Amino acid sequence: MVLLSVISNIQANLEPFTRSHKEVLQDSILQPLLTGLILRTDEERIAETSGLEGRVEHAPHFKNLEFLFPETTRNFAQLPLQYKGFCGFSIAVHDRLLLPGNPLVGVLRYKDHFFCFTSKEAAVKFAADPDRYIAHIAEAAKKSPELIQLLELHMQFSTITPYGK
C-alpha cells in the first residue's frame, strides 16, 4: 500500500513536467528535424563497433597508456569502468551526452582508472589528452550536478568546500 502511494505521488509530481514537454516538443516540430537522420539503438551501435576493425590498435604515441581487451585481461568484465561505463569522450564533446561505451573497442587504463568508449575514434582522441577530457567532464558535472551522482564522480569533488564554510 505504501509503495502504491509513493508511485502515485511520483506520477502526480511528474505530470506537469511531462505535459509541458508534450506541448513544447510536439511531433510536428520534431519530425522536420529528424528527416534524413538514421536513429540507432545502443545495441545496434555497439554491434557496429564490436569487431576487430573497431578496436584500438596500440600505437607508440600512447605513452604510458594501455588499452585492455577481454582476451588479454583477467576479470575484464569486472573492471570498474569510469563514468559507470558511459563514453567519457561523448560526455565531454557532445554537451553531456550519455552514450554507453563498448568495452570491446578497448578499455583505456589511465592513472588507475578505466575508461571505455563508443568508437575507436573516440578512444584515440580521448587518449591523446585524457586530462583535458576528464577536466571537461568535471566542469560539465558542475553545470549538471546530477551527473556527480549518476557518473559516480564523488571522489573528484570530495575536496570542494561548501559555500557556507
Side-chain angles (χ1 to χ4, degrees), residues 5-18:
S5 174
V6 169
I7 293 171
S8 178
N9 284 337
I10 291 171
Q11 182 182 7
N13 289 328
L14 286 177
E15 198 275 326
F17 176 76
T18 57

Side-chain angles (χ1 to χ4, degrees), residues 45 82-92 97-102 115-119 122-123 126 137:
R45 189 181 40 70
Q82 283 296 108
Y83 313 128
K84 298 282 280 192
F86 290 105
C87 175
F89 180 79
S90 296
I91 297 167
L97 177 64
L98 298 176
L99 290 176
N102 181 0
F115 301 88
C116 67
F117 306 95
T118 57
S119 68
F126 188 96
I137 293 167

Side-chain angles (χ1 to χ4, degrees), residues 114-144:
F114 302 95
F115 301 88
C116 67
F117 306 95
T118 57
S119 68
K120 175 166 66 171
E121 295 77 19
V124 169
K125 289 178 182 175
F126 188 96
D129 192 1
D131 290 323
R132 183 180 111 208
Y133 290 102
I134 292 168
H136 193 85
I137 293 167
E139 287 301 314
K142 289 176 187 175
K143 293 177 186 171
S144 299

